[in-house]
Amino acid sequence: MALVLGIESSCDETAVAVVRDGYDVLSNSVASQIAKHAAHGGVVPELAAREHLTALIPTLQEALSNARVTLSDIDAIAVTQGPGLIPALLVGLSFAKGLALGNNIAYVGVNHFIGHIYGAFLDEANRALEDKASYPLLALVVSGGHTSLMLIDEHGQSTALGYTIDDAAGEALDKGAKLLNLGYPGGPVMQKTAEGGDPHRFEFPRPLTGAAGKPLAEENRYNFSFSGIKTALLYHVKKYADSEGRLPESLLKDTVASYQEAVVDVLTRKTLAAAKDTNAKTIVVAGGVACNSVLRERFEKLTPPGVRLRLAPRKYCTDNAAMIGGVGYHYWKRGEFSTFDIDSYARLPQITRIPFLA
Ligand code: KG4
Ligand code: ZN
């Protein structure tokens, strides 16, 4: 048996978790800073770093206490190394190094993006990750920072098929909500506002789908683009806004429903086309935007029979440390740990191997 302590601080959630044998989440503590950043309409990196500094120790204490363990029971520490906001990452990474050194525990830096994919497999009994029939596995990671499609084969080789060439889908929802004065973060508030609205009343663009008579260049077959949807919203607001620059209540619901529909339509259409092209046996949908009910229902409706759909459980969609601890377990199994000289990284590096497979 192995107990891994996961630590996550890449953005605005301070998270610590205890994971047993890679899948059983004994505790999953998350201290959200959303209220602190909401006034700024987005995450302020230095503010995030300072908040991590004060939240890490109480969050660690809570995670250990909820799991009914102490630091002396922990076999390894897994910490988010990147990608993310550097000031925020540095706090978590330094904390993990100190904890590892002070308690003589091995530690490993984990990729946050891979963590999101892993989140779809936590808490599970049947261990689909280790089942060869699950591959090729196509993962859509869709969050505030990412919108990427990654294909993983049964040997753990991974290929980045596509990514966003401008904004991430979550960013498009966050910026859209800001434009409409709905608050932060945009994803959940857009979903709520859209309820009961007509998603087909307004036609927002579907960039890089070959729609609107624009042929799709082969290199963009699996790429995404969301900045055009946001610009279309800006013009839409200009056209319909009242003298105070606000949309009348009668139009707001339908506008938000139509905007959300454009994002959901692009994400599902491109992912399902990629799954077909690559003969994927499993589709994983993970990351904060995977919380979205309309997106989840659409994938459930459109995923063809014979393809397994794994929507990450909602609590493991948004940033958490259980997904980091889970990935860390697979490093522990192989005795692969980090040295104390590792640094944080802001951008997603090229990933050619996924460490949760042999
Ligand atoms: O994974 P995450 O917590 O952080 C990043 O790694 O970026 O994702 C945060 C993103 C935000 O853009 C937020 O608006 C979006 O996830 N989000 C949602 C929902 N809940 C969170 N988007 C759509 N619908 C939701 N229910
Ligand atoms: Zn994330």
Side-chain angles (χ1 to χ4, degrees):
M1 197 211 34
L3 291 183
V4 178
L5 183 79
I7 299 173
E8 152 65 33
S9 73
S10 67
C11 192
D12 59 346
E13 325 277 3
T14 312
V16 183
V18 178
V19 182
R20 182 170 56 203
D21 293 338
Y23 297 96
D24 303 330
V25 181
L26 301 189
S27 65
N28 184 28
S29 296
V30 183
S32 174
Q33 308 174 1
I34 283 177
K36 305 262 175 186
H37 297 280
H40 304 276
V43 180
V44 183
E46 189 188 321
L47 182 59
R50 288 175 190 276
E51 291 296 319
H52 289 311
L53 205 54
T54 48
L56 265 167
I57 288 176
T59 310
L60 167 72
Q61 285 166 335
E62 183 188 279
L64 290 173
S65 148
N66 287 353
R68 296 177 193 279
V69 298
T70 65
L71 270 180
S72 60
D73 300 314
I74 299 295
D75 296 289
I77 296 170
V79 59
T80 302
Q81 192 181 350
L85 304 171
I86 289 292
L89 287 164
L90 285 175
V91 177
L93 182 58
S94 308
F95 181 70
K97 286 184 185 185
L99 213 53
L101 186 66
N103 294 277
N104 200 22
I105 306 173
Y107 94 108
V108 62
V110 167
N111 182 290
H112 181 84
F113 181 88
I114 293 173
H116 271 303
I117 299 175
Y118 195 87
F121 297 91
L122 285 167
D123 274 350
E124 68 150 27
N126 65 353
R127 311 222 158 163
L129 258 188
E130 288 156 28
D131 179 358
K132 289 231 173 338
S134 302
Y135 297 87
L137 181 153
L138 177 72
L140 170 70
V141 178
V142 65
S143 69
H146 302 283
T147 305
S148 300
L149 281 169
M150 177 171 279
L151 190 70
I152 306 167
D153 75 10
E154 63 178 71
H155 306 295
Q157 298 302 316
S158 53
T159 314
L161 293 183
Y163 50 87
T164 177
I165 60 170
D166 41 56
D167 292 349
E171 205 177 344
L173 294 168
D174 292 340
K175 288 178 177 170
K178 192 172 179 183
L179 197 71
L180 296 169
N181 294 309
L182 294 175
Y184 176 84
V189 76
M190 290 284 250
Q191 179 183 318
K192 186 115 200 50
T193 311
E195 277 167 21
D198 176 0
H200 302 292
R201 176 153 176 203
F202 301 109
E203 185 69 20
F204 286 99
R206 269 59 166 171
L208 304 188
T209 58
K214 272 197 206 153
L216 178 61
E218 201 43 42
E219 75 260 25
N220 283 328
R221 189 169 176 79
Y222 306 124
N223 283 343
F224 298 91
S225 163
F226 291 101
S227 68
I229 301 182
K230 188 187 63 193
T231 310
L233 180 64
L234 183 69
Y235 284 112
H236 176 89
V237 170
K238 276 192 180 150
K239 182 170 170 190
Y240 293 106
D242 60 21
S243 55
E244 276 156 34
R246 289 181 184 260
L247 277 188
E249 206 52 42
S250 60
L251 291 185
L252 183 67
K253 257 189 185 311
D254 293 346
T255 298
V256 175
S258 302
Y259 188 83
Q260 178 180 254
E261 174 63 25
V263 174
V264 167
D265 187 32
V266 170
L267 290 173
T268 45
R269 244 203 277 175
K270 297 207 83 149
T271 305
L272 291 164
K276 193 167 172 217
D277 293 350
T278 56
N279 199 19
K281 298 287 187 297
T282 307
I283 296 175
V284 169
V285 188
V289 180
C291 283
N292 188 272
S293 303
V294 179
L295 184 71
R296 295 175 84 90
E297 280 159 23
R298 192 68 49 84
F299 268 113
E300 271 161 4
K301 189 170 154 209
L302 298 181
T303 300
V307 177
R308 301 177 189 185
L309 175 66
R310 292 195 75 97
L311 301 169
R314 279 191 170 86
K315 62 182 163 184
Y316 303 132
C317 282
T318 44
D319 289 347
N320 65 87
M323 66 187 197
I324 304 301
V327 174
Y329 165 76
H330 296 269
Y331 285 108
W332 173 86
K333 225 167 45 176
R334 288 198 298 270
E336 280 178 36
F337 297 109
S338 298
T339 49
F340 282 117
D341 55 357
I342 65 165
D343 199 354
S344 306
Y345 49 84
R347 301 208 157 271
L348 186 65
Q350 201 187 355
I351 299 169
T352 52
R353 180 177 148 262
I354 295 282
F356 44 71
L357 293 172

